[in-house]
Amino acid sequence: DAEITQSPRHKITETGRQVTLACHQTWNHNNMFWYRQDLGHGLRLIHYSYGVQDTNKGEVSDGYSVSRSNTEDLPLTLESAASSQTSVYFCASSTGHSSTDTQYFGPGTRLTVL
Amino acid sequence: QKEVEQNSGPLSVPEGAIASLNCTYSDRGSQSFFWYRQYSGKSPELIMSIYSNGDKEDGRFTAQLNKASQYVSLLIRDSQPSDSATYLCAVNRDSGYALNFGKGTSLLVTP
C-alpha cells in the first residue's frame, strides 16, 4: 500500500548539531510539506515543495532547509539545532492537482534538542 | 499573518449529543476548508472538506461554510467517546496548496 513514512520517529540531539529528518512517500504526490506542532501554537508550516527542484518557505522557516531531488523524498535539515526547535515534526503530501486535495500526514518525528 | 482561529476548549459533551466546533479565518482569498481530527500522540487525519457555501454532510459529520462571514463549522451528531480528540480547522494559503491551521479544539465526549 502507498504510504508516507518519517524517520527517525524519535531523536535526541545537542544544541548546535546538524540534524536531518527524513520524509518518504510512495503515492507519487507532487506536493510535500513540513510542519511543526507545539503546545499553544498548533501546526505551523516550515517549508513546502510543489515538485522536484521546487522549495518554498513557510511561516517558521528560519533555521531549517529542504531540498527536493526526487518526487518521493523531502528531507528537512536543521542547520544548527536550537532548544527552540524541540517539537513534533510532521511531513505531509498531496497530489497537487487542486487546492481541494487532501493532505496526508506521516506519523511524525519527536525531536528533542538538549 | 493570515489567521485561523478556533476556541481551544476543552469542549465537553455527553454521549449522544451534538458537538459544535467553530472556526474563523482572515484570508478572504481562501477557497478550500478542511477539518482534521488528531488523537493524542497521533498524526492528523482528514474528517471533512468543504469548498462551497452551505452544508456538507458525511455520516455523523456536517461541515458548514459561510464565506461572507469567514466562518466554517463542524457538527458531530450522536457524539461517541471515540470522537474525543483535538479537531483542527485548516484553510488553504494564498489560494495555493499549503494550509494554515488553527490551534485546534479539544473535544471530550463523556459516557
Side-chain angles (χ1 to χ4, degrees):
Chain A
D1 287 342
E3 61 179 354
I4 181 167
T5 58
Q6 295 183 235
S7 62
R9 296 294 312 278
H10 301 272
K11 174 79 174 178
I12 299 174
T13 191
E14 295 177 343
T15 301
R17 290 189 180 267
Q18 184 180 80
V19 176
T20 297
L21 308 182
C23 176
H24 179 80
Q25 52 95 5
T26 59
W27 285 304
N28 202 35
H29 284 171
N30 289 325
N31 298 344
M32 296 184 72
F33 309 87
W34 274 104
Y35 297 90
R36 60 178 288 176
Q37 188 172 38
D38 306 285
L39 280 175
H41 288 281
L43 279 162
R44 292 182 290 175
L45 184 66
I46 305 172
H47 281 286
Y48 58 101
S49 168
Y50 290 160
V52 175
Q53 303 301 329
D54 176 75
T55 60
N56 305 279
K57 293 182 178 180
E59 63 183 299
V60 289
S61 60
D62 288 348
Y64 304 94
S65 64
V66 294
S67 62
R68 186 93 179 269
S69 59
N70 59 52
T71 301
E72 295 79 16
D73 300 289
L74 187 69
L76 177 71
T77 297
L78 287 67
E79 303 294 343
S80 177
S83 58
S84 60
Q85 295 177 308
T86 292
S87 187
V88 179
Y89 291 85
F90 288 103
C91 179
S93 71
S94 65
T95 63
H97 296 158
S98 167
S99 65
T100 62
D101 290 344
T102 300
Q103 281 192 23
Y104 297 93
F105 283 78
T109 293
R110 183 174 295 276
L111 176 68
T112 301
V113 182
L114 301 177
Chain B
Q1 178 67 27
K2 294 170 181 174
E3 302 285 341
V4 179
E5 300 286 346
Q6 295 181 255
N7 188 321
S8 63
L11 174 65
S12 183
V13 299
E15 184 175 356
I18 296 175
S20 178
L21 305 165
N22 304 314
C23 172
T24 60
Y25 60 95
S26 63
D27 183 5
R28 285 195 171 275
S30 296
Q31 302 162 344
S32 304
F33 307 87
F34 306 87
W35 283 99
Y36 282 81
R37 178 176 62 198
Q38 187 176 26
Y39 292 113
S40 181
K42 301 296 185 181
S43 57
E45 57 177 337
L46 184 71
I47 297 295
M48 292 282 292
S49 57
I50 187 166
Y51 320 115
S52 303
N53 279 327
D55 295 358
K56 179 182 178 182
E57 186 174 320
D58 184 0
R60 295 186 297 113
F61 299 95
T62 298
Q64 299 174 317
L65 175 61
N66 184 325
K67 290 185 179 180
S69 300
Q70 296 176 249
Y71 177 91
V72 57
S73 65
L74 179 69
L75 301 178
I76 306 174
R77 290 182 300 280
D78 188 24
S79 295
Q80 301 297 310
S82 59
D83 294 325
S84 298
T86 296
Y87 289 80
L88 304 171
C89 175
V91 176
N92 73 307
R93 297 164 60 100
D94 303 321
S95 303
Y97 304 116
L99 298 177
N100 278 334
F101 282 85
K103 295 178 181 179
T105 298
S106 175
L107 173 66
L108 177 64
V109 181
T110 55

